[in-house]
Amino acid sequence: MYIVFMGPPGAGKGTQAERVAEELGLEHVAPGDLFRQAVKQGDRLGAEVKAFMEQGILVPDNITIKVILERLLSQAGGEGVVLDGFPRNYNQAVALDEALEQQNKSIDWVVNIQVSQPELVRRLSSRWLCRECQAPYSVDGREAEAVRQCPACGGGLYQRPDDNPETVTRRLQVYFAETEPLIDYYRQQNKLVEVEGEGGVEEVAGRIIRALGYDGGDNN
Ligand code: ADP
Ligand code: ZN
């Protein structure tokens, strides 16, 4: 099973992709997470991607496609994968289709999380993350100063360096120019599942699980 999560920065894509992966027993693969990890470790990949991420533009395809396809290949024996943040342009989408086809596999669903633009900007500029468990919190600056700690694990809170207003604007521009056109590409393949992303985390998670046809369980 291969599920792709799409949506603009701030749509809640990462949070929801992780939940759905856990719920369905799939691997969660997110280029943004892999790249941030590499930057933190200061390895060669990290050095290659850092400047692009800081500017809020896409890491070049030759790097991204190689990293992600290698990761998928290493996961090929498993139950499947939730892809969070890949593909992000047409080139990547075609490379993914071809790589899956070679293994007689294909994407099952593409979940597109929709959130209005003013809400995206608001969410991104008030986004704080836990250093330890990466949980996101939406608080304004002063509140974060006061809280300082993750309610879940006690870790310190920080803001992603690419969540400043200029970079947020650039990331949204990149999304609308390069990634949004993929919605039609997948709609034509009858793979698109559109989900309204405004509302609480639980509420949105419920919508996604139902839209994918998994609605047994204990939700009420
Ligand atoms: P968000 O969706 O909130 O922008 P991500 O963690 O998905 O955050 O991505 C952060 C950054 O990582 C992007 O701005 C980009 O520089 C890089 N990145 C992530 N996914 C891709 C991709 N598929 N192709 C190229 N660059 C990517
Ligand atoms: Zn935490």
mmCIF file of all heavy atoms in Angstrom, residues 7-10 13 31-33 35-36 52-53 56-61 64 84-88 92 124 127 160 162-163 171, ligand 1:
data_model
loop_
_atom_site.group_PDB
_atom_site.id
_atom_site.type_symbol
_atom_site.label_atom_id
_atom_site.label_comp_id
_atom_site.label_asym_id
_atom_site.label_seq_id
_atom_site.Cartn_x
_atom_site.Cartn_y
_atom_site.Cartn_z
ATOM 1 N N GLY A 7 -0.445 18.668 0.340
ATOM 2 C CA GLY A 7 -1.101 19.810 0.971
ATOM 3 C C GLY A 7 -0.049 20.872 1.175
ATOM 4 O O GLY A 7 1.134 20.557 1.274
ATOM 5 N N PRO A 8 -0.472 22.131 1.225
ATOM 6 C CA PRO A 8 0.496 23.211 1.396
ATOM 7 C C PRO A 8 1.186 23.133 2.754
ATOM 8 O O PRO A 8 0.690 22.473 3.667
ATOM 9 C CB PRO A 8 -0.366 24.467 1.286
ATOM 10 C CG PRO A 8 -1.761 24.028 1.548
ATOM 11 C CD PRO A 8 -1.856 22.604 1.132
ATOM 12 N N PRO A 9 2.344 23.814 2.891
ATOM 13 C CA PRO A 9 2.996 23.891 4.191
ATOM 14 C C PRO A 9 1.995 24.452 5.206
ATOM 15 O O PRO A 9 1.322 25.436 4.908
ATOM 16 C CB PRO A 9 4.134 24.891 3.983
ATOM 17 C CG PRO A 9 4.304 25.031 2.515
ATOM 18 C CD PRO A 9 3.014 24.619 1.865
ATOM 19 N N GLY A 10 1.872 23.817 6.347
ATOM 20 C CA GLY A 10 0.942 24.303 7.372
ATOM 21 C C GLY A 10 -0.405 23.614 7.334
ATOM 22 O O GLY A 10 -1.253 23.853 8.188
ATOM 23 N N LYS A 13 -0.127 18.245 7.194
ATOM 24 C CA LYS A 13 0.264 17.064 6.426
ATOM 25 C C LYS A 13 1.142 16.107 7.234
ATOM 26 O O LYS A 13 0.871 14.914 7.283
ATOM 27 C CB LYS A 13 0.991 17.609 5.196
ATOM 28 C CG LYS A 13 1.576 16.672 4.232
ATOM 29 C CD LYS A 13 1.972 17.439 2.949
ATOM 30 C CE LYS A 13 2.864 18.668 3.173
ATOM 31 N NZ LYS A 13 4.232 18.364 3.608
ATOM 32 N N PRO A 31 10.626 13.483 3.214
ATOM 33 C CA PRO A 31 11.904 14.091 2.838
ATOM 34 C C PRO A 31 12.286 15.253 3.757
ATOM 35 O O PRO A 31 13.458 15.388 4.106
ATOM 36 C CB PRO A 31 11.691 14.579 1.404
ATOM 37 C CG PRO A 31 10.268 14.351 1.075
ATOM 38 C CD PRO A 31 9.680 13.439 2.095
ATOM 39 N N GLY A 32 11.307 16.080 4.164
ATOM 40 C CA GLY A 32 11.620 17.210 5.052
ATOM 41 C C GLY A 32 12.287 16.723 6.334
ATOM 42 O O GLY A 32 13.282 17.284 6.785
ATOM 43 N N ASP A 33 11.747 15.633 6.918
ATOM 44 C CA ASP A 33 12.330 15.075 8.149
ATOM 45 C C ASP A 33 13.725 14.510 7.888
ATOM 46 O O ASP A 33 14.649 14.713 8.674
ATOM 47 C CB ASP A 33 11.446 13.951 8.715
ATOM 48 C CG ASP A 33 10.125 14.474 9.283
ATOM 49 O OD1 ASP A 33 9.983 15.707 9.406
ATOM 50 O OD2 ASP A 33 9.249 13.648 9.592
ATOM 51 N N PHE A 35 15.809 15.362 5.558
ATOM 52 C CA PHE A 35 16.745 16.463 5.302
ATOM 53 C C PHE A 35 17.099 17.199 6.596
ATOM 54 O O PHE A 35 18.260 17.525 6.835
ATOM 55 C CB PHE A 35 16.151 17.459 4.287
ATOM 56 C CG PHE A 35 15.989 16.911 2.887
ATOM 57 C CD1 PHE A 35 15.061 17.473 2.006
ATOM 58 C CD2 PHE A 35 16.765 15.857 2.433
ATOM 59 C CE1 PHE A 35 14.910 16.980 0.712
ATOM 60 C CE2 PHE A 35 16.622 15.355 1.136
ATOM 61 C CZ PHE A 35 15.678 15.920 0.276
ATOM 62 N N ARG A 36 16.094 17.453 7.442
ATOM 63 C CA ARG A 36 16.378 18.166 8.707
ATOM 64 C C ARG A 36 17.327 17.355 9.570
ATOM 65 O O ARG A 36 18.236 17.879 10.197
ATOM 66 C CB ARG A 36 15.086 18.459 9.481
ATOM 67 C CG ARG A 36 14.474 19.814 9.144
ATOM 68 C CD ARG A 36 13.292 20.153 10.032
ATOM 69 N NE ARG A 36 12.182 19.246 9.808
ATOM 70 C CZ ARG A 36 11.323 19.361 8.797
ATOM 71 N NH1 ARG A 36 11.435 20.366 7.943
ATOM 72 N NH2 ARG A 36 10.355 18.495 8.627
ATOM 73 N N PHE A 52 19.015 25.324 0.499
ATOM 74 C CA PHE A 52 17.706 25.292 -0.163
ATOM 75 C C PHE A 52 16.587 25.367 0.863
ATOM 76 O O PHE A 52 15.618 26.107 0.702
ATOM 77 C CB PHE A 52 17.555 24.028 -1.021
ATOM 78 C CG PHE A 52 18.591 23.926 -2.107
ATOM 79 C CD1 PHE A 52 19.653 23.044 -1.991
ATOM 80 C CD2 PHE A 52 18.502 24.743 -3.234
ATOM 81 C CE1 PHE A 52 20.608 22.962 -2.995
ATOM 82 C CE2 PHE A 52 19.461 24.659 -4.244
ATOM 83 C CZ PHE A 52 20.519 23.773 -4.113
ATOM 84 N N MET A 53 16.728 24.585 1.919
ATOM 85 C CA MET A 53 15.687 24.569 2.952
ATOM 86 C C MET A 53 15.562 25.931 3.621
ATOM 87 O O MET A 53 14.459 26.404 3.894
ATOM 88 C CB MET A 53 15.999 23.504 3.987
ATOM 89 C CG MET A 53 15.970 22.119 3.402
ATOM 90 S SD MET A 53 16.262 20.883 4.644
ATOM 91 C CE MET A 53 14.638 20.801 5.407
ATOM 92 N N GLY A 56 13.549 28.140 1.652
ATOM 93 C CA GLY A 56 12.165 27.723 1.429
ATOM 94 C C GLY A 56 11.913 27.243 0.005
ATOM 95 O O GLY A 56 10.777 27.222 -0.456
ATOM 96 N N ILE A 57 12.978 26.891 -0.708
ATOM 97 C CA ILE A 57 12.788 26.367 -2.071
ATOM 98 C C ILE A 57 13.083 24.868 -2.095
ATOM 99 O O ILE A 57 13.668 24.325 -1.147
ATOM 100 C CB ILE A 57 13.674 27.111 -3.106
ATOM 101 C CG1 ILE A 57 15.157 27.003 -2.741
ATOM 102 C CG2 ILE A 57 13.241 28.571 -3.198
ATOM 103 C CD1 ILE A 57 16.069 27.709 -3.737
ATOM 104 N N LEU A 58 12.671 24.213 -3.174
ATOM 105 C CA LEU A 58 12.848 22.768 -3.246
ATOM 106 C C LEU A 58 14.326 22.403 -3.372
ATOM 107 O O LEU A 58 15.086 23.064 -4.075
ATOM 108 C CB LEU A 58 12.086 22.180 -4.443
ATOM 109 C CG LEU A 58 10.565 22.292 -4.424
ATOM 110 C CD1 LEU A 58 9.978 21.544 -5.614
ATOM 111 C CD2 LEU A 58 9.973 21.771 -3.123
ATOM 112 N N VAL A 59 14.698 21.353 -2.696
ATOM 113 C CA VAL A 59 16.014 20.740 -2.878
ATOM 114 C C VAL A 59 16.013 20.174 -4.306
ATOM 115 O O VAL A 59 14.983 19.668 -4.771
ATOM 116 C CB VAL A 59 16.192 19.622 -1.821
ATOM 117 C CG1 VAL A 59 17.408 18.768 -2.104
ATOM 118 C CG2 VAL A 59 16.255 20.231 -0.417
ATOM 119 N N PRO A 60 17.135 20.266 -5.047
ATOM 120 C CA PRO A 60 17.124 19.796 -6.443
ATOM 121 C C PRO A 60 16.664 18.337 -6.574
ATOM 122 O O PRO A 60 16.965 17.502 -5.722
ATOM 123 C CB PRO A 60 18.588 19.947 -6.873
ATOM 124 C CG PRO A 60 19.144 21.006 -5.982
ATOM 125 C CD PRO A 60 18.422 20.871 -4.672
ATOM 126 N N ASP A 61 15.958 18.077 -7.673
ATOM 127 C CA ASP A 61 15.389 16.753 -7.896
ATOM 128 C C ASP A 61 16.423 15.626 -7.861
ATOM 129 O O ASP A 61 16.128 14.542 -7.361
ATOM 130 C CB ASP A 61 14.674 16.704 -9.262
ATOM 131 C CG ASP A 61 13.332 17.397 -9.206
ATOM 132 O OD1 ASP A 61 12.821 17.635 -8.090
ATOM 133 O OD2 ASP A 61 12.803 17.708 -10.290
ATOM 134 N N THR A 64 16.848 14.810 -4.184
ATOM 135 C CA THR A 64 15.624 14.340 -3.514
ATOM 136 C C THR A 64 15.171 12.983 -4.047
ATOM 137 O O THR A 64 14.864 12.071 -3.279
ATOM 138 C CB THR A 64 14.487 15.365 -3.709
ATOM 139 O OG1 THR A 64 14.957 16.639 -3.290
ATOM 140 C CG2 THR A 64 13.263 14.979 -2.911
ATOM 141 N N ASP A 84 5.114 11.551 2.756
ATOM 142 C CA ASP A 84 4.710 12.845 3.298
ATOM 143 C C ASP A 84 5.670 13.911 2.768
ATOM 144 O O ASP A 84 6.773 14.051 3.271
ATOM 145 C CB ASP A 84 4.731 12.704 4.828
ATOM 146 C CG ASP A 84 4.738 14.012 5.577
ATOM 147 O OD1 ASP A 84 4.485 15.058 4.970
ATOM 148 O OD2 ASP A 84 5.002 13.975 6.789
ATOM 149 N N GLY A 85 5.247 14.612 1.712
ATOM 150 C CA GLY A 85 6.120 15.649 1.136
ATOM 151 C C GLY A 85 6.873 15.186 -0.093
ATOM 152 O O GLY A 85 7.809 15.837 -0.529
ATOM 153 N N PHE A 86 6.482 14.097 -0.658
ATOM 154 C CA PHE A 86 7.054 13.603 -1.911
ATOM 155 C C PHE A 86 5.973 12.812 -2.629
ATOM 156 O O PHE A 86 5.342 11.963 -1.986
ATOM 157 C CB PHE A 86 8.261 12.688 -1.645
ATOM 158 C CG PHE A 86 8.959 12.233 -2.916
ATOM 159 C CD1 PHE A 86 10.017 12.951 -3.437
ATOM 160 C CD2 PHE A 86 8.535 11.076 -3.580
ATOM 161 C CE1 PHE A 86 10.656 12.541 -4.609
ATOM 162 C CE2 PHE A 86 9.170 10.664 -4.747
ATOM 163 C CZ PHE A 86 10.230 11.397 -5.257
ATOM 164 N N PRO A 87 5.736 13.042 -3.909
ATOM 165 C CA PRO A 87 6.384 14.020 -4.786
ATOM 166 C C PRO A 87 5.884 15.445 -4.561
ATOM 167 O O PRO A 87 4.779 15.656 -4.086
ATOM 168 C CB PRO A 87 5.974 13.544 -6.182
ATOM 169 C CG PRO A 87 4.650 12.888 -5.980
ATOM 170 C CD PRO A 87 4.724 12.240 -4.632
ATOM 171 N N ARG A 88 6.735 16.403 -4.936
ATOM 172 C CA ARG A 88 6.396 17.813 -4.784
ATOM 173 C C ARG A 88 6.466 18.543 -6.115
ATOM 174 O O ARG A 88 6.263 19.748 -6.156
ATOM 175 C CB ARG A 88 7.381 18.465 -3.816
ATOM 176 C CG ARG A 88 6.773 18.790 -2.475
ATOM 177 C CD ARG A 88 7.864 19.371 -1.600
ATOM 178 N NE ARG A 88 7.336 20.283 -0.640
ATOM 179 C CZ ARG A 88 7.236 19.997 0.663
ATOM 180 N NH1 ARG A 88 7.593 18.826 1.131
ATOM 181 N NH2 ARG A 88 6.786 20.896 1.489
ATOM 182 N N GLN A 92 9.250 14.601 -9.981
ATOM 183 C CA GLN A 92 9.288 13.639 -8.873
ATOM 184 C C GLN A 92 8.131 12.643 -8.986
ATOM 185 O O GLN A 92 8.300 11.446 -8.695
ATOM 186 C CB GLN A 92 9.226 14.356 -7.518
ATOM 187 C CG GLN A 92 10.441 15.253 -7.246
ATOM 188 C CD GLN A 92 10.342 15.981 -5.907
ATOM 189 O OE1 GLN A 92 9.431 15.741 -5.111
ATOM 190 N NE2 GLN A 92 11.287 16.878 -5.660
ATOM 191 N N LEU A 124 1.592 28.687 10.427
ATOM 192 C CA LEU A 124 3.042 28.541 10.293
ATOM 193 C C LEU A 124 3.787 29.538 11.156
ATOM 194 O O LEU A 124 4.812 29.206 11.753
ATOM 195 C CB LEU A 124 3.465 28.690 8.825
ATOM 196 C CG LEU A 124 3.049 27.522 7.936
ATOM 197 C CD1 LEU A 124 3.231 27.881 6.466
ATOM 198 C CD2 LEU A 124 3.849 26.267 8.269
ATOM 199 N N ARG A 127 3.870 28.416 14.822
ATOM 200 C CA ARG A 127 4.212 27.008 15.042
ATOM 201 C C ARG A 127 5.499 26.847 15.850
ATOM 202 O O ARG A 127 6.550 27.350 15.475
ATOM 203 C CB ARG A 127 4.361 26.295 13.686
ATOM 204 C CG ARG A 127 4.821 24.859 13.825
ATOM 205 C CD ARG A 127 4.533 24.065 12.590
ATOM 206 N NE ARG A 127 5.473 24.328 11.514
ATOM 207 C CZ ARG A 127 5.455 23.664 10.356
ATOM 208 N NH1 ARG A 127 4.555 22.731 10.135
ATOM 209 N NH2 ARG A 127 6.341 23.949 9.435
ATOM 210 N N ARG A 160 10.990 26.328 13.778
ATOM 211 C CA ARG A 160 11.784 25.910 12.623
ATOM 212 C C ARG A 160 12.368 27.138 11.952
ATOM 213 O O ARG A 160 11.682 28.137 11.791
ATOM 214 C CB ARG A 160 10.887 25.168 11.631
ATOM 215 C CG ARG A 160 11.117 23.670 11.639
ATOM 216 C CD ARG A 160 10.104 22.938 10.811
ATOM 217 N NE ARG A 160 10.072 23.354 9.409
ATOM 218 C CZ ARG A 160 9.349 22.731 8.485
ATOM 219 N NH1 ARG A 160 8.614 21.670 8.818
ATOM 220 N NH2 ARG A 160 9.349 23.153 7.244
ATOM 221 N N ASP A 162 12.827 27.778 9.002
ATOM 222 C CA ASP A 162 12.114 28.186 7.779
ATOM 223 C C ASP A 162 10.658 28.578 8.063
ATOM 224 O O ASP A 162 9.862 28.711 7.153
ATOM 225 C CB ASP A 162 12.209 27.106 6.689
ATOM 226 C CG ASP A 162 11.638 25.758 7.105
ATOM 227 O OD1 ASP A 162 11.326 25.583 8.300
ATOM 228 O OD2 ASP A 162 11.500 24.876 6.238
ATOM 229 N N ASP A 163 10.302 28.797 9.334
ATOM 230 C CA ASP A 163 8.959 29.280 9.665
ATOM 231 C C ASP A 163 8.916 30.794 9.882
ATOM 232 O O ASP A 163 7.966 31.320 10.446
ATOM 233 C CB ASP A 163 8.395 28.553 10.905
ATOM 234 C CG ASP A 163 7.768 27.196 10.560
ATOM 235 O OD1 ASP A 163 7.580 26.905 9.362
ATOM 236 O OD2 ASP A 163 7.473 26.426 11.494
ATOM 237 N N ARG A 171 7.739 29.448 0.620
ATOM 238 C CA ARG A 171 7.319 28.039 0.586
ATOM 239 C C ARG A 171 5.911 27.903 0.014
ATOM 240 O O ARG A 171 5.622 26.955 -0.723
ATOM 241 C CB ARG A 171 7.405 27.422 1.988
ATOM 242 C CG ARG A 171 8.856 27.032 2.351
ATOM 243 C CD ARG A 171 9.076 26.905 3.843
ATOM 244 N NE ARG A 171 8.196 25.968 4.485
ATOM 245 C CZ ARG A 171 7.755 26.087 5.740
ATOM 246 N NH1 ARG A 171 8.105 27.134 6.464
ATOM 247 N NH2 ARG A 171 6.992 25.177 6.254
HETATM 248 P P1 ADP B 1 6.577 21.990 4.823
HETATM 249 O O1 ADP B 1 5.640 21.051 4.121
HETATM 250 O O2 ADP B 1 6.000 22.523 6.107
HETATM 251 O O3 ADP B 1 7.151 23.076 3.954
HETATM 252 P P2 ADP B 1 8.677 19.913 4.889
HETATM 253 O O4 ADP B 1 9.289 19.426 6.134
HETATM 254 O O5 ADP B 1 7.846 18.964 4.105
HETATM 255 O O6 ADP B 1 7.850 21.190 5.321
HETATM 256 O O7 ADP B 1 9.800 20.496 3.910
HETATM 257 C C1 ADP B 1 10.786 21.393 4.358
HETATM 258 C C2 ADP B 1 11.771 21.714 3.232
HETATM 259 O O8 ADP B 1 12.441 20.512 2.807
HETATM 260 C C3 ADP B 1 11.142 22.268 1.948
HETATM 261 O O9 ADP B 1 10.932 23.656 2.022
HETATM 262 C C4 ADP B 1 12.217 21.880 0.915
HETATM 263 O O10 ADP B 1 13.325 22.751 0.954
HETATM 264 C C5 ADP B 1 12.661 20.513 1.404
HETATM 265 N N1 ADP B 1 11.853 19.437 0.791
HETATM 266 C C6 ADP B 1 10.925 18.649 1.407
HETATM 267 N N2 ADP B 1 10.364 17.774 0.542
HETATM 268 C C7 ADP B 1 10.930 18.020 -0.668
HETATM 269 C C8 ADP B 1 10.776 17.461 -1.981
HETATM 270 N N3 ADP B 1 9.915 16.469 -2.247
HETATM 271 N N4 ADP B 1 11.544 17.966 -2.975
HETATM 272 C C9 ADP B 1 12.422 18.948 -2.745
HETATM 273 N N5 ADP B 1 12.611 19.523 -1.545
HETATM 274 C C10 ADP B 1 11.885 19.070 -0.511
#
